Amino acid sequence: MIPGATAASFLLVVVLGAMSPGPDFVVVTRSSLSGGRRAGIAAGAGIALGVFAWVVAIALGVAAVLTASAVAFTVVKLAGAAYLVFLGVKAWLAVRRGEYRDLAAGTGGRQLTAGAAFRQGLVTNLLNPKVAVYFLALLPQFLPADGSTLQTLELAAIATAGTVLWFVTLAVVVGALKKFFSAGRVRRGLDAVLGTVLVALGLKVAAETA
């Protein structure tokens, strides 16, 4: 078992890491704006499942193989970059179509479903090999020298819980402000900004070297 103090320290580091601006943050924010609190929480749950999958992959040695292979790393990285650009273009298309004019009145406009938000969060995280690199560097700092696979899985559960904690909080805060953001002009501006950020992040990821 992981000692309580070590587990608490690891949880804090994971939450702080999740709070840093990046693709996950943007996806949860836009999901909360597009589909409300439920969609935002679903996107956060998808991201958390992705984190769990990456840490389990590390425990099984799969992530080490990925990060050791320049070709595999690049393929996953470019796929993730393409997906971020795709999400950004979707946001731009929503701006162009002007789907926001009736949202304030609660009619019209297509709402993002929880299922779609969950898939966006999961795919965004799974196609980000930098998550594997991050946890490959982080986990040894919290595992004993003779750490077992079971202890790694304990840390995976803690990482998942920390990720859920932060993104649920973010989704609740943004969802609570959804009434304000329902104004067509505000939503149009936010989608334009978030779409631009997603495309920029995708291009940045594609341009980065392993």
Side-chain angles (χ1 to χ4, degrees), residues 27-119:
V27 167
V28 172
T29 299
R30 186 166 188 271
S31 295
S32 300
L33 294 175
S34 300
R37 184 181 307 171
R38 184 179 178 186
I41 291 174
I47 291 167
L49 180 59
V51 168
F52 182 81
W54 275 121
V55 179
V56 169
I58 290 171
L60 299 176
V62 176
V65 174
L66 172 65
T67 55
S69 170
V71 173
F73 186 94
T74 300
V75 168
V76 174
K77 180 187 72 172
L78 291 178
Y83 188 68
L84 291 176
V85 172
F86 167 73
L87 293 179
V89 170
K90 281 187 65 177
W92 282 346
L93 290 175
V95 173
R96 183 175 181 179
R97 287 191 298 262
E99 298 176 331
Y100 317 114
R101 56 184 177 276
D102 296 323
L103 288 179
T107 61
R110 285 179 287 180
Q111 299 287 302
L112 181 69
T113 65
F118 177 85
R119 289 191 295 273

Side-chain angles (χ1 to χ4, degrees), residues 54 58 63-64 66-67 73 128-137:
W54 275 121
I58 290 171
L66 172 65
T67 55
F73 186 94
N128 184 0
K130 291 298 180 70
V131 178
V133 174
Y134 173 73
F135 281 106
L136 274 172

Side-chain angles (χ1 to χ4, degrees), residues 94 125 172 198:
N125 196 270
V172 168
L198 283 167

